[in-house]
Amino acid sequence: MHHFDYQNGVLHAEGVPLPAIADAVGTPVYVYSSATLERHYKVFCEAVKPHQDHVFYAVKANGNLGVLMTLAKLGAGADTVSEGEIRKALAAGIPASRIVFSGVGKTGEELAFAVDAGIYQINVESEGELEALSRIAAARGRRQAIVLRVNPEIGAGGHAKITTGDAANKFGVSFSEAERLYAKAANMPGVSVKGLAAHIGSQVTEFSAYRAAFLKMRGVVESLRRQGHAVERLDLGGGVGIPYEMSYPYRHGTETLNAYGDMVREIAAGLDIELGFEPGRVIAGNAGILMTRVLYINTRADRSFLIVDAGMNDLVRPAMYEAWHEIWPVRQVAPDQELVRYDVVGPICETGDTFTTGRLLPKMQPGDLIVLKTAGAYGASMSSTYNQRRLVPEVLVKGTEYAVTRPRQTFEELIGLDRAPSWL
Ligand SMILES: *Cc1c(COP(=O)(O)O)cnc(C)c1O
């Protein structure tokens, strides 16, 4: 469910015609829908009741200030993976008491910052990190609430690069070590170990992997409790997948999330435990599009390249994860209009800068606008200035209003990032 639809033959984001944004802000540009963000967050909370107070939006999916503020207003917590994300979540008005800090490589400075900020929970991923954190917190006279992230040795996800729960993946302490480390943490001065966490991957559409992993986690909780530990929290991570293709054999968002909620409630039944969630993609993915303009059409004997002004630096998912994005023209076309196969490519000097090959689209002209759909998660947040291209702007729509929540970088800002060495 999203709010990008044709009205009078023109694609709109909620009540705003996309050409108006293209004219005012230029292209390429990300456009987000507040109503979609709000709806997804609310539907997720509803689905995981009575655990709705421990939904921590994964900032790395889309850390735009406008997006974070929209979710903060609804009471969302934040799952963060760097000091920068913690700072951004705080800047957006998400209180420290609603922030979780995950990641395999937290530095000493980052851990100290998180402890000083008084965040809700640090998800510890290795024995070394456990020791470092306890030392840092104890030196400050603090006891930081933690959970131990366990690698359940069951991975899942839409691509090998976003599978995190396999034994071969770098995330979390090994399953066989979990109980020893929990007991160790329970005796350390700088931490208060509250429970366990797992996050098995992203773009998970097969709930059987979730079920198997969560059941394994339940087993660890029960075993630890038999040993006398009061295991109060079980953070189940994020990863719920979303439909990228309209023809995708995947249920409507509400149905999917309700099925997910039913599954976790069933698995946690009788445990009397606080469940935590870290959804990212399922909140932001369908709440954003990347709008780009056709520059040229380079027709060869066997194929046509639709060359657009967005590149892999603006949206890296197709190049990095072989991801599929639906492409819609901004001007609605008649159902009987001729369709043409295009390879949709960007201007970057790499063959990997290809959004799709052989895609059937209406016949295009230079200057036409198209959108890559489902670009609200891992789109702008993964963008770069590769090829010395300015960071792509971001626009947040609410009803018939919109705001530029990140202006297009200027060339002065881009060049000003560097400093000349004194000897030149
Ligand atoms: C990336 C990540 C998430 C969010 O994953 P989604 O697939 O966007 O829901 C949640 N938790 C952790 C620890 C992550 O690394």
Side-chain angles (χ1 to χ4, degrees):
M1 176 69 188
H2 57 75
H3 291 79
F4 298 95
D5 285 307
Y6 293 103
Q7 297 171 27
N8 305 319
V10 176
L11 192 59
H12 281 57
E14 302 189 22
V16 178
L18 288 175
I21 294 176
D23 288 346
V25 186
T27 55
V29 57
Y30 279 95
V31 181
Y32 309 130
S33 152
S34 300
T36 312
L37 287 167
E38 289 167 359
R39 179 174 184 280
H40 287 175
Y41 176 74
K42 287 179 186 162
V43 168
F44 192 95
C45 288
E46 193 62 35
V48 300
K49 270 185 171 168
H51 303 282
Q52 69 279 6
D53 292 339
H54 297 98
V55 175
F56 305 97
Y57 166 69
V59 173
K60 76 176 190 284
N62 186 328
N64 184 272
L65 196 63
V67 169
L68 295 181
M69 289 175 77
T70 300
L71 295 171
K73 238 177 126 174
L74 300 178
D79 170 49
T80 61
V81 292
S82 70
E83 181 175 335
E85 286 194 354
I86 299 173
R87 285 179 183 269
K88 199 114 182 240
L90 291 169
I94 298 174
S97 60
R98 303 274 294 126
I99 295 178
V100 167
F101 188 18
S102 311
V104 297
K106 308 177 192 80
T107 65
E109 288 80 9
E110 288 181 309
L111 290 170
F113 178 83
V115 171
D116 288 343
I119 71 163
Y120 180 68
Q121 166 179 307
I122 295 182
N123 295 13
V124 171
E125 302 214 16
S126 65
E127 187 163 11
E129 182 191 342
L130 178 63
E131 286 167 359
L133 174 59
S134 179
R135 206 166 43 240
I136 288 165
R140 294 169 144 69
R142 298 285 294 276
R143 233 178 213 281
Q144 173 64 48
I146 66 162
V147 298
L148 205 55
R149 177 165 176 186
V150 178
N151 184 317
E153 297 170 4
I154 294 169
H159 189 271
K161 287 183 185 163
I162 52 173
T163 297
T164 54
D166 270 344
N169 297 149
K170 66 181 177 181
F171 301 94
V173 304
S174 75
F175 191 77
S176 59
E177 292 267 85
E179 295 185 27
R180 177 182 73 78
L181 289 175
Y182 201 98
K184 175 170 173 170
N187 287 314
M188 294 176 91
V191 297
S192 171
V193 61
K194 302 286 187 194
L196 301 169
H199 170 72
I200 64 171
S202 193
Q203 187 54 17
V204 179
T205 51
E206 255 318 319
F207 283 3
S208 56
Y210 269 141
R211 182 176 288 279
F214 294 169
L215 278 170
K216 264 182 110 167
M217 296 301 294
R218 179 185 172 117
V220 186
V221 170
E222 289 172 323
S223 173
L224 285 167
R225 284 183 174 173
R226 279 195 296 273
Q227 293 160 49
H229 298 289
V231 184
E232 300 160 35
R233 301 182 192 171
L234 180 55
D235 178 338
L236 297 175
V240 176
I242 58 173
Y244 280 84
E245 302 180 37
M246 288 210 303
S247 56
Y248 209 64
Y250 196 54
R251 290 163 300 178
H252 184 261
T254 315
E255 266 177 65
T256 303
L257 287 175
N258 286 339
Y260 174 81
D262 289 344
M263 175 188 65
V264 300
R265 268 188 301 270
E266 179 202 321
I267 291 170
L271 266 192
D272 188 21
I273 200 160
E274 170 192 309
L275 296 181
F277 302 92
E278 303 167 350
R281 189 187 308 268
V282 75
I283 305 292
N286 278 310
I289 55 103
L290 174 62
M291 176 162 52
T292 179
R293 202 179 279 282
V294 176
L295 296 173
Y296 305 106
I297 297 157
N298 185 4
T299 304
R300 304 249 184 91
D302 61 337
R303 61 185 60 225
S304 269
F305 292 101
L306 193 69
I307 302 167
V308 299
D309 65 2
M312 64 188 282
N313 70 300
D314 304 309
L315 177 66
V316 78
R317 299 188 67 260
M320 187 133 142
Y321 309 126
E322 294 151 272
W324 199 97
H325 286 268
E326 190 128 325
I327 297 177
W328 283 12
V330 167
R331 297 256 166 229
Q332 194 170 22
V333 294
D336 59 349
Q337 187 171 335
E338 178 196 1
L339 295 181
V340 182
R341 283 199 189 276
Y342 289 113
D343 290 6
V344 181
V345 302
I348 302 278
C349 304
E350 292 214 21
T351 300
D353 185 27
T354 297
F355 291 118
T356 187
T357 55
R359 183 74 62 91
L360 272 176
L361 289 168
K363 201 165 167 39
M364 292 282 162
Q365 301 294 334
D368 284 349
L369 293 167
I370 59 171
V371 303
L372 289 111
K373 295 194 71 194
T374 317
Y378 306 104
S381 66
M382 295 180 80
S383 63
S384 75
T385 59
Y386 186 41
N387 278 210
Q388 299 298 332
R389 285 162 56 83
R390 294 172 293 167
L391 275 183
V392 61
E394 295 171 86
V395 165
L396 182 64
V397 170
K398 185 166 180 63
T400 55
E401 274 188 272
Y402 71 87
V404 180
T405 52
R406 177 191 280 176
R408 192 180 308 278
Q409 203 172 28
T410 65
F411 286 114
E412 290 70 28
E413 286 166 343
L414 177 67
I415 295 165
L417 290 171
D418 295 358
R419 295 289 179 275
S422 62
W423 62 87
L424 289 175

